[in-house]
Amino acid sequence: MLRRFVTAGLLALGLFTAAGAHAQGKQDFTLINKTGYTIEEVYVGPTKSDEWADDVLGSDVLETGQRLNVTFPKRAGTCKWDVKVVYDDAEEAEWYGFDLCTVSKITLFYNRNSGETWAEYE
């Protein structure tokens, strides 16, 4: 499966999924998978960083149609984040520069005809 990368952006170091978070930051958001494929890994990192944080899914996967609540500690100071996903066929997609201080939901899509992956956000 071929995917083209569309920039938009996302997440971060020191973040937690809904299962383990108690203190929430203003960068919290929901990631929705509407690609038609299973996502096996989700990475988030500050836009200013050259490195990704740990896979926020851990041993879980994000099936198509599922949601993942990503929360940040209150001390997370930056608003601009990048997101990377790895699909179950090892293909990857990255988005850059999401302003998570104003974005609360990111939905990922894939068009089989064009091979394009993109993100819409609110």
Side-chain angles (χ1 to χ4, degrees), residues 44-108:
V44 180
T47 296
K48 63 184 177 192
S49 175
D50 292 333
E51 296 183 21
W52 295 105
D54 293 335
D55 172 15
V56 299
L57 286 174
S59 61
D60 293 332
V61 297
L62 188 63
E63 300 286 345
T64 192
Q66 288 186 326
R67 298 169 173 256
L68 172 68
N69 293 318
V70 180
T71 60
F72 291 76
K74 286 188 179 193
R75 62 179 164 66
T78 187
C79 289
K80 296 284 186 168
W81 295 89
D82 302 335
V83 175
K84 173 182 173 179
V85 299
V86 179
Y87 297 93
D88 59 358
D89 63 357
E91 291 285 332
E92 300 177 357
E94 298 177 10
W95 295 268
Y96 304 98
F98 283 112
D99 182 350
L100 294 182
C101 293
T102 61
V103 170
S104 62
K105 180 168 67 171
I106 299 170
T107 305
L108 305 180

